[in-house]
Amino acid sequence: MVKFDRFTLDNGLTVLVHEDPTTPMAVVNTLYDVGARDENPSQTGFAHLFEHLMFGGSLHIPSYDEPLQRVGGENNAFTSNDITNYYVTLPAVNLETAFWLESDRMLSLAFSDKSLEVQRNVVCEEFKQRYLNQPYGDVMLKLRPLAYTMHPYSWPTIGKELAHIEEARMEDVKAFFKKHYSPVNAIMVVGGAVKTADVERLAKKWFGDIPSGEKYNRNLPMEPIQLEPRRLVHYADVPVNAIYIALHVPAKNDQGYYEADLIGDLLSRGNSSRLYKSLIKDRKLFTDINASLTGSSDPGLMIIDGRPSEGVTIEEAEAAIWEVLKQLSEEPVPETELDKVKNKIESTMVFAEMSLLDKAMNLAYFEVLGDAEALNKETERYLKVSSEDIQRRAQSIFRKENSSTLLYLSNS
């Protein structure tokens, strides 16, 4: 159970406070309700570019890192298709430094041509190294638009193509900041050796005068139900063949998501999981195989990816995957097997509650989903899933017409 207090400033900034006297540290986690799904389809990669720009200095603080390091602090950030999240950890006695830094870049980020050029080059280099010049690196650039025909989940956080970042203009960057980076579109979580009254005083002092901005209300095109299987065969200079199967699953807030997540664990969590045991250990058809969920705020994907063993045809490998999936649809999962994956998830949740930063990030994410209190009910949502629920959800997910398959084949 993660206890927290909540208050909202007059400008709309939501602040959650988790008091934890067991540590001398504090964390300030600032989540902006903007991700890659909120980008213009002709200007993708901006949310991720902005993650980098936010460390380029503000009008009054040319270097974000230096003053933080002087007080023993560390920081980082990440961007997803749904959110952009910034976090600072530092000794609690120096908490105000984090408020000073975060408020100044929210109010007055320094938009310099030099900063834009530097960060644009950094992101472009990341695009090249991780997505274009690495074996299998461009999988999501191909699989996402295969699975999504309408929803903006059809591109990864890095963007659709390199040119969108290369051609990013200052006026576009400023417009993106104005639209999304304001108190009314932010959630701040402060945790550690802090008191709610002190946090509220600091929040009002450093953030209270920042203009609220306009609330960004999404009106995204929803993905229609997929009615037929989709396939793409791609040849590349890679060492071995690979298979990627994307299947539509419910959104994070839906109970069906928890059923699908458990199915993913049944399939590939540990050496006793079904895909590993059947296709790697017993039949030796694959050298590697996994199943994972994108965990998206809107309906997401379960992605099954594997690399067939030498001498195994791609057709044989694909058919073998579907055999395992079909079994989950046709036969109830034994309670002992289901309990095992539930226990693993429950232990993961317990360990997450031991990390101050994890608690802060999770509170922020569940708050943007609708209510941070849902974090304390997440384990219960997993535990209530029955064997019948698993079979019913498997029948819904594991249909050929719900699948988008990328066959990533070696040229050699």
Side-chain angles (χ1 to χ4, degrees):
M1 175 71 70
V2 182
K3 295 181 179 180
F4 63 92
D5 298 312
R6 180 195 286 112
F7 61 87
T8 304
L9 300 186
D10 291 341
N11 60 11
L13 177 66
T14 298
V15 183
L16 308 182
V17 184
H18 168 63
E19 298 182 6
D20 183 357
T22 66
T23 173
M25 302 298 291
V27 60
V28 177
N29 188 92
T30 308
L31 181 152
Y32 288 92
D33 189 10
V34 55
R37 62 176 171 169
D38 301 304
E39 297 164 343
N40 183 323
S42 63
Q43 293 178 318
T44 62
F46 268 53
H48 179 241
L49 173 62
F50 236 95
E51 176 200 321
H52 287 258
L53 285 171
M54 285 286 277
F55 292 96
S58 55
L59 291 182
H60 307 105
I61 309 169
S63 171
Y64 184 92
D65 287 336
E66 285 182 17
L68 185 61
Q69 290 169 356
R70 283 201 298 267
V71 297
E74 297 179 347
N75 71 92
N76 214 325
F78 65 86
T79 310
S80 74
N81 287 78
D82 298 314
I83 62 170
T84 309
N85 194 81
Y86 303 85
Y87 55 90
V88 173
T89 58
L90 76 175
V93 294
N94 298 323
L95 179 64
E96 191 162 6
T97 300
F99 276 78
W100 168 56
L101 290 167
E102 289 300 319
S103 64
D104 202 63
R105 65 178 177 178
M106 180 187 286
L107 174 65
S108 50
L109 189 68
F111 290 102
S112 70
D113 291 330
K114 179 181 179 181
S115 176
L116 177 57
E117 183 65 21
V118 168
Q119 299 306 329
R120 185 167 47 202
N121 289 339
V122 169
V123 174
C124 286
E125 194 60 31
E126 180 183 346
F127 199 124
K128 293 172 186 176
Q129 288 186 3
R130 292 182 57 191
Y131 293 84
L132 302 183
N133 301 332
Q134 182 170 285
Y136 316 100
D138 59 349
V139 163
M140 285 303 158
L141 293 170
K142 301 181 184 302
L143 189 60
R144 279 187 174 272
L146 189 64
Y148 289 104
T149 60
M150 294 287 292
H151 194 284
Y153 283 164
S154 60
W155 58 83
T157 56
I158 197 69
K160 280 184 183 180
E161 53 188 83
L162 189 59
H164 288 183
I165 300 301
E166 291 175 330
E167 297 167 5
R169 300 171 300 174
M170 182 62 75
E171 55 264 41
D172 300 324
V173 167
K174 287 184 176 180
F176 191 88
F177 181 82
K178 183 178 179 181
K179 183 176 182 180
H180 299 289
Y181 279 75
S182 60
V184 77
N185 285 312
I187 295 166
M188 175 178 284
V189 178
V190 183
V194 301
K195 295 291 185 182
T196 299
D198 294 333
V199 171
E200 188 166 5
R201 175 181 57 81
L202 290 172
K204 289 177 178 177
K205 175 182 176 180
W206 290 104
F207 290 89
D209 292 336
I210 300 178
S212 64
E214 294 184 16
K215 180 63 180 173
Y216 167 62
N217 294 309
R218 289 185 179 85
N219 186 23
L220 303 180
M222 297 310 295
E223 185 67 20
I225 295 174
Q226 188 172 334
L227 299 176
E228 59 183 13
R230 301 172 189 149
R231 296 178 70 80
L232 174 65
V233 179
H234 174 70
Y235 289 89
D237 185 18
V238 292
V240 295
N241 296 334
I243 301 174
Y244 300 85
I245 303 174
L247 304 124
H248 293 278
V249 297
K252 175 72 175 179
N253 259 346
D254 193 302
Q255 179 61 25
Y257 168 83
Y258 295 90
E259 298 164 1
D261 199 26
L262 284 167
I263 289 172
D265 282 1
L266 287 166
L267 287 173
S268 74
R269 186 168 184 171
N271 292 349
S272 61
S273 60
R274 294 194 174 202
L275 287 172
Y276 182 91
K277 187 174 184 303
S278 174
L279 304 186
I280 295 180
K281 186 177 180 182
D282 294 345
R283 301 175 66 185
K284 297 179 173 53
L285 296 176
F286 283 79
T287 59
D288 182 57
I289 192 160
N290 300 282
S292 60
L293 269 64
T294 55
S296 308
S297 299
D298 291 335
L301 299 173
M302 177 184 290
I303 299 174
I304 298 169
D305 64 279
R307 299 181 186 182
S309 302
E310 186 176 358
V312 177
T313 67
I314 204 74
E315 294 80 10
E316 183 183 4
E318 185 180 359
I321 291 174
W322 279 100
E323 286 176 24
V324 177
L325 304 185
K326 186 178 179 183
Q327 186 180 23
L328 269 175
S329 300
E330 293 181 347
E331 302 172 15
V333 176
E335 291 296 336
T336 52
E337 186 181 3
L338 181 55
D339 286 342
K340 185 176 181 179
V341 295
K342 284 182 179 180
N343 290 339
K344 287 181 178 179
I345 283 180
E346 192 170 12
S347 66
T348 300
M349 301 290 185
V350 170
F351 279 114
E353 287 194 11
M354 297 172 66
S355 164
L356 182 60
L357 179 58
D358 284 352
K359 285 186 285 187
M361 289 194 294
N362 286 333
L363 283 170
Y365 182 58
F366 277 93
E367 183 71 9
V368 82
L369 284 177
D371 184 4
E373 187 56 45
L375 172 61
N376 292 321
K377 301 173 183 175
E378 190 171 37
T379 301
E380 177 187 335
R381 297 186 76 171
Y382 281 109
L383 297 180
K384 71 185 288 188
V385 175
S386 67
S387 178
E388 292 76 19
D389 294 330
I390 292 291
Q391 186 174 2
R392 209 164 30 242
R393 185 59 54 189
Q395 291 168 353
S396 171
I397 296 171
F398 300 136
R399 297 174 292 109
K400 290 289 181 70
E401 60 269 27
N402 188 43
S403 68
S404 298
T405 304
L406 168 63
L407 302 180
Y408 206 104
L409 306 182
S410 173
N411 280 326
S412 56

